[in-house]
Amino acid sequence: ASADITAFIEGGTLTDGAMGTGGTGVVGFNFTVSSSINVTQLGFFGDSLGGGDTPWAALYDVTTTTQLAAITTFAPTNGWQYVALGSPVTLTPGDTYQIVATAYWSPKYQDTSGFSFGSAINPVSFSNPSGWGGWGTPVMGTGTAASPNITANFLYTSAIPEPSAFAILAGL
């Protein structure tokens, strides 16, 4: 069996104090993959939620402008939380993808030099598509941000079967 891998792990120094930029909006990042992966869960970072907001996270294929997955059932709690998809979504090399989520307070970094990205994830750009004008419903971002504000993440597994699976399949 294979374990889930986090798309990125935050590191480095926050640029605006403990939490970074405040306000409501949508933030995320565009990325490519170096090998096929199966996205199993979408993650959302909540902080200082007022209780009346509805957090969401969504995954898009930027190349085709198609929504691949969305989770709208996050609890209004602080910190990272992940919700499993009904079935994994396979991402393949060659397309650009985007993971976005709502933000109330968003960790803001100067750059991603202190981040640890999963082996298949190649970050392209960061997004603040709606500015700080509210949350709305899941939407693919078209704008870019100069520095990373991140409230969306995801977990994935390799889409390539492990060697033991090859042995099992060969025996059939």
Side-chain angles (χ1 to χ4, degrees), residues 17-172:
M19 276 310 303
T21 302
T24 57
V26 178
V27 294
F29 69 101
N30 293 347
F31 62 96
T32 61
V33 294
S34 57
S35 61
S36 292
I37 63 172
N38 292 320
V39 175
T40 58
Q41 299 181 50
L42 298 186
F44 166 76
F45 185 89
D47 190 61
S48 301
L49 296 174
D53 302 316
T54 306
W56 56 262
L59 177 66
Y60 292 90
D61 183 322
V62 175
T63 305
T64 64
T65 67
T66 304
Q67 184 184 84
L68 303 174
I71 298 289
T72 58
T73 56
F74 292 104
T77 59
N78 292 345
W80 283 107
Q81 56 183 299
Y82 293 85
V83 174
L85 299 175
S87 55
V89 173
T90 301
L91 307 184
T92 58
D95 283 355
T96 300
Y97 299 96
Q98 182 180 97
I99 180 77
V100 290
T102 52
Y104 190 84
W105 288 96
S106 175
K108 182 177 180 180
Y109 294 89
Q110 191 69 27
D111 55 40
T112 59
S113 60
F115 285 36
S116 172
F117 287 90
S119 59
I121 306 301
N122 304 309
V124 174
S125 62
F126 291 84
S127 179
N128 181 208
S130 66
W132 294 103
W135 283 9
T137 57
V139 61
M140 188 179 83
T142 56
T144 58
S147 53
N149 284 85
I150 298 180
T151 60
N153 203 352
F154 61 92
L155 302 182
Y156 70 93
T157 60
S158 172
I160 301 170
E162 294 182 19
S164 60
F166 284 121
I168 292 169
L169 292 172
L172 295 177

